[in-house]
Amino acid sequence: TSPDYQLMMAELKRDNGIMALYFDMFDMARKNLRQAVSLRTDDARARYYYGQVSKLVARTDADRELARTELNNAIKLDSSRHFIPEAQLQRALLLIDKPDSASHDEAVQALKDYVTSYQTARVEAWRYGATLPPNMETLYDYLRLLGDTRWKPDYPNLPVGVGGGGG
């Protein structure tokens, strides 16, 4: 029942769900991702993938609403770190199918937000260069477990010409 165990189980369920999604095993993906979200309600990646698989298998309005809610939760949880710009794209694709103009306006905004979030993520990756550990997403998970949901490392001071930082 330790926090480490809960985090490990949530990561395991999330990662298993993501792999199942990639191999078109949607029922298994949905089950694992639902469990991951229930274990760690503040995991943006679990919510993103749960929303994505929910969108893919949606048969009813309630299913589509669950997908929309999970994608919106992922977007909110990722707002400070910009690791998952694709959540905006999936949200837009879900809204495009609705016949009303308000949903279409919201889809247009979601597409614009996707481009902006994608740009932000790419610029940040460029500014960090190859200076971050490869397991940064996991480190953010640990920080989140400890209550820090907003911290990001400072950009490194790179010499001119290193990492695209100058002329």
Side-chain angles (χ1 to χ4, degrees), residues 88-102:
Q88 290 286 4
L89 177 60
Q90 293 300 319
R91 182 172 163 263
L93 295 175
L94 191 62
L95 290 164
I96 286 173
D97 291 336
K98 288 187 163 188
D100 61 288
S101 62

Side-chain angles (χ1 to χ4, degrees), residues 13 16-17 20-21 25-34:
K13 292 295 185 179
N16 284 344
L21 178 62
M25 299 186 310
F26 300 130
D27 286 336
M28 182 182 292
R30 186 172 44 184
K31 178 183 174 192
N32 277 285
L33 291 164
R34 182 184 316 120

Side-chain angles (χ1 to χ4, degrees), residues 7 11 14-15 18 22 42-46 48-49 78 81-86 122 132-145 148 151 153:
L7 180 62
E11 286 178 11
R14 179 193 63 213
D15 294 346
I18 292 168
Y22 287 146
D42 60 349
D43 185 337
R45 285 183 293 154
Y48 163 66
Y49 284 105
D78 189 52
R81 293 190 175 133
H82 306 288
F83 259 44
I84 317 169
E86 294 81 9
R122 299 283 71 77
L132 294 178
N135 60 341
M136 207 55 213
E137 289 183 9
T138 303
L139 296 174
Y140 282 147
D141 285 343
Y142 285 121
L143 287 169
R144 191 178 64 246
L145 178 67
D148 190 335
W151 181 84

Side-chain angles (χ1 to χ4, degrees), residues 7 17 19-20 28 36 38 45 47 56 72 77 84 97 107 111 113 117 137 149 152-153 156 160-162:
L7 180 62
M19 291 305 295
M28 182 182 292
S38 71
R45 285 183 293 154
R47 289 195 175 271
L56 287 171
N72 284 340
L77 290 168
I84 317 169
D97 291 336
L111 288 170
D113 291 344
S117 294
E137 289 183 9
T149 60
K152 290 188 332 187
V160 173
V162 175

